[in-house]
Amino acid sequence: MKIETASNSATETKKLALVILGMHRSGTSALTRVLNFAGCALPNSLIEANEGNERGHWESGRINDVNNELLASGGSNWQDWSAFNPDWYDSPVAQETISRVAETVVSEVGPSRFCVLKDPRICKVLPVWEQALANIGFEMLPILMLRHPLDVAESLFARNHIHRDIGQLIWLRYVLDAESASRGKIRAIVSYDNLLVDWRMVLAKISSTFDVKFPKPHSKIQRKVGAFLSPELRHHAFRQSASTSNQTSLAWAETVWEIFDRWIREGETPTDMLKLDEIRHQLDMSQVIFEPLAALAQTEYGNRKKLKELEAAIAEFSHEREGTQAKLKKAETARGGLADELAQSKAQFEKEIEAARTDVKEHLQPKIRALEAENIALKNQMADLVPASEARRAEELQLKLQNTEHENRALRAKISDELAQSKAQFEKEIEAAR
């Protein structure tokens, strides 16, 4: 591509949109990110990475919403493997939807003249996107991104719980519709396997197919691309082991894959296109036959899934029960140790109480004996008094005796109260410990 000049008014307004056409779980996110590394602009409102795509989807959430609404307006959805209603394109809704798609692209890519757009749902409604892009001055450059149908089916089974037979039917619908709608246009056909093995070759093929140069050289992006395209991106590659009960759809998928794989290596042929048209027609006509089988397969899978969930719940309950039993045993052991500790503490306290009583008794005994001796002396003095002459003295001695006895009782009561309070406090501590 030549640098634009003022004399070339036709190319001055030319804007390019690389549109990735591929089934879900086919490496479309990886290819989009690599093209972004090479210099293609991404939409603004990117969907955040999640468990289903840890390294990012690299597609617009707003474009995703528009496509979901588009499919719904034709009675379809992303999991629908039947043909999108052809009458929709002649309905009043079509032009309105095309305008909305165009407006969404403008808001998402802004002034960019070289962008990459990706949403697997575009495979089912490519004519809408081609017209919408043309209306806003973009030339659509379609890239068919392919991955083996059994790998895709296995990945859908793991991520979305879609039965493998249904996953193959959805794969057929996406790739056949995308191929048919982009036929006759300049298009690049690449595979997820090739991207992981030699991303430089994939970029070179895209560049040569569309005669377009990428802004950034391989040498400047190889470290980022190498870190991004790590082996962990390939979550499912079970072509030999993947199970399927629908041999017809399996045969169709294998044939379609063989054709695309050959096209990637050798180029397209009209004979192969006739075979793809035949299989696509058979897929269109088979809905009446396969729909009950697909529903039965999905029900069977749903039952198996519920059984696995129940088994997992039982296993979790058993694990929790074992943990609870272990905690209970540990608590009983601790309780036994605590009981022994409380018994030891009680014995030690009683011993200390007894020692305190002995100390108190030894400390107060001399004073008590002195008081008792004084009491006896006073009584003797009173006995020796002459009633007539010592009446007053006797009254004083009697009062002093009473005071002495009162002090003695008060002292004994105080000692008793202190011992009772100490015992009550200990019993309270014992109860709190229990």
Side-chain angles (χ1 to χ4, degrees), residues 102-119:
E103 292 170 0
T104 303
V105 173
V106 169
S107 66
E108 285 296 285
V109 302
S112 173
R113 301 175 64 82
F114 190 29
C115 65
V116 56
L117 301 174
K118 167 253 177 179
D119 180 0

Side-chain angles (χ1 to χ4, degrees), residues 118-138:
K118 167 253 177 179
D119 180 0
R121 296 162 183 81
I122 297 177
C123 292
K124 294 171 66 70
V125 289
L126 184 58
V128 172
W129 275 83
E130 182 180 13
Q131 184 62 57
L133 290 171
N135 289 351
I136 54 176
F138 272 98

